[in-house]
Every structure is written in C-alpha cells, then in structure tokens.
Amino acid sequence: MLVTYSTNSLVENLIGLCAERTVEEKWLLAPSKRIGMQWLDHVAAAGRPVLNFRVKTPTAFALELASPLMAERGLNL
C-alpha cells in the first residue's frame, strides 16, 4: 500500500519529529534530494531547527542496504 502525504501534513510530521529528536540522526526518504531539501526548508521556515537529517533517495537507500552483500558476492551496479 502506498501512503502519500500532502505537503502540509508531511511538514507538520517533520516538525514534530524535529521537536522530539532534535539532535539524533534522522533519515528522510524523498523522491529526489532536491525535494527532500525543500521539505526541510519548509520545516526550518516554520521555526524548527533541522539538525542531522540525511536526505536519501529510494535508489541510494536500496544501494546502501544492499552494498555489503553485493561486495561480498563481487557484484556492482
């Protein structure tokens, strides 16, 4: 099932996450890094500090998870 958010509810949820976990590392899965950074810009514009976010695309995230096994098997993309 695909869950989609309107920009406002996504930004509101990110604001809440930033309030709860200000300095912890956080990952944001976004369609592109540019879009992810725009979402974080909205959070910052709302007055909430945006610390330790890592914007990841689905492809980059999948490769990060698969890379140890790929290296073990001598595979590359």
Side-chain angles (χ1 to χ4, degrees), residues 10-54:
L10 176 63
V11 170
E12 288 172 11
N13 283 311
L14 289 172
I15 289 169
L17 180 65
C18 288
E20 291 173 14
R21 300 170 187 253
T22 305
V23 295
E24 294 177 35
E25 182 178 17
K26 299 166 280 295
W27 292 0
L28 178 58
L29 191 61
S32 70
K33 283 194 170 203
R34 180 179 179 188
I35 291 172
M37 295 307 293
Q38 288 174 344
W39 291 340
L40 295 177
D41 285 344
H42 287 291
V43 173
R48 183 59 63 184
V50 181
L51 300 171
N52 292 331
F53 260 99
R54 307 293 179 253

